[in-house]
Amino acid sequence: MDWDWAIETGGALTSSQRRSLTLELVSAVPRLVAGRVRVALGRRGDGRVDFTDLRLPDSALAKAAEAEARECLTPHVLAHSYRTYFFGRALSELHDVPYDDELMYVASLLHDLKLEHPTPGRCFAVTGAERAVDLAAANGATPEQTRIVGAAIAAHLTLGVSDDLGDLGFVSAGAGVDVFGAELADLDPAWVTDLLARHPRHHFKRHMIAAITQEAGAVAHGRTRWLITVGGFRQLVRFAPFAE
C-alpha cells in the first residue's frame, strides 16, 4: 500500500490487504494496551521537543502549507495537525531517527486536509495527499520531495507504517499519539501538558468521531471503514487518554 497504490486505487482495499491489516492489528493491540497501562501507572518516558528558541521551518513551502492549513482546516483539526508534527518530532528525536523537518512539517499540517470533506469512493488521505503534492510542486519542491510528502500523508492511515519513524511513518506516528494515545507513554507528561496548552484539543474526540463516520460512509472500501468495522476506530478515539 504505497504511494503508487494510493493514487491508482484511491485507497480502496482488496481482500488480501484487509487480511494483512488484520494481522497488523493483532500485533498492534498488545502494544497499545501496554502503553495505556504505563500511562495509567505514571510510568512515562522523557520524549519531548524543546520549545525554547524553537524555530519552525520557514521556507516558502512551509509558509504555503501553513496558509493552506489555516484557510482549509477547522480549529480542532488545525490544532491536531500541529500536535501531529510535534508528537512525530518528539518520537523521532527520542529514538534518534532522522527525518526531513521541512517536509514532515508540511505533511503534518496537511495530512487531514480533506478529512471533513470526503470524496465518494476516494480516501481522504489520498485526496489530501494529492492536494499537498500540487501545493508542494507549486512552491519549489522537487519531484522526490513531493513524493515524500504525498506518501507520508497517503500512508498515515495504514497500520504498521508508524513503525518506520523515518519520513514515511512520521505523520502516522504523530497522529497516532494524538488520536489513540499510541506511544504517549514514551513522552514527558509535563511537555505533553505544555503542548496541549499551546495547541488545545477543542473537543477533538467528538469532532474526529463525526468526521471518520462521515468518511466511512463515503468510501465503502477504504481504510477508515475497515478501521471502524474491524479495528474499533471510534472506540479507540473515544477512550484515548486525553480529556477531550
Side-chain angles (χ1 to χ4, degrees), residues 15-215:
S15 297
S16 175
Q17 288 166 337
R18 290 190 184 91
R19 287 193 293 271
S20 295
L21 287 175
T22 300
L23 292 176
E24 288 287 351
L25 178 65
V26 169
S27 65
V29 167
R31 297 198 304 269
L32 183 61
V33 171
R36 294 282 183 89
V37 170
R38 285 179 58 197
V39 170
L41 294 176
R43 297 175 181 171
R44 302 289 292 275
D46 57 3
R48 65 195 316 276
V49 173
D50 189 354
F51 289 123
T52 305
D53 299 323
L54 175 68
R55 290 189 61 187
L56 295 175
D58 60 358
S59 64
L61 173 56
K63 290 183 180 300
E66 289 174 347
E68 181 82 359
R70 288 171 181 156
E71 179 179 349
C72 298
L73 299 177
T74 54
H76 53 277
V77 177
L78 178 63
H80 161 65
S81 300
Y82 276 102
R83 293 193 303 270
T84 291
Y85 166 73
F86 285 114
F87 282 139
R89 181 167 170 172
L91 289 173
S92 295
E93 294 180 3
L94 175 66
H95 297 295
D96 197 27
V97 177
Y99 60 94
D100 187 308
D101 193 33
E102 177 193 27
L103 300 185
M104 292 305 99
Y105 182 64
V106 170
S108 296
L109 289 186
L110 303 182
H111 79 282
D112 278 344
L113 196 60
K114 300 296 185 179
L115 174 61
E116 296 177 294
H117 308 283
T119 300
R122 199 163 181 83
C123 174
F124 81 90
V126 176
T127 57
E130 290 170 335
R131 170 57 189 149
V133 162
D134 289 343
L135 182 142
N139 285 276
T142 67
E144 178 59 22
Q145 288 173 324
T146 62
R147 186 180 182 87
I148 288 171
V149 169
I153 294 173
H156 86 269
L157 278 180
T158 302
L159 289 180
V161 167
S162 61
D163 294 341
D164 175 6
L165 263 175
D167 290 339
L168 182 63
F170 183 106
V171 175
S172 184
V177 179
D178 201 47
V179 175
F180 307 128
E183 313 303 330
L184 181 64
D186 289 341
L187 303 178
D188 178 350
W191 175 79
V192 172
T193 298
D194 187 7
L195 175 61
L196 297 184
R198 293 168 184 266
H199 299 285
R201 287 179 64 85
H202 301 302
H203 301 288
F204 178 66
K205 291 182 181 181
R206 183 178 67 204
H207 291 290
M208 174 58 76
I209 290 170
I212 61 176
T213 300
Q214 186 178 20
E215 165 73 12

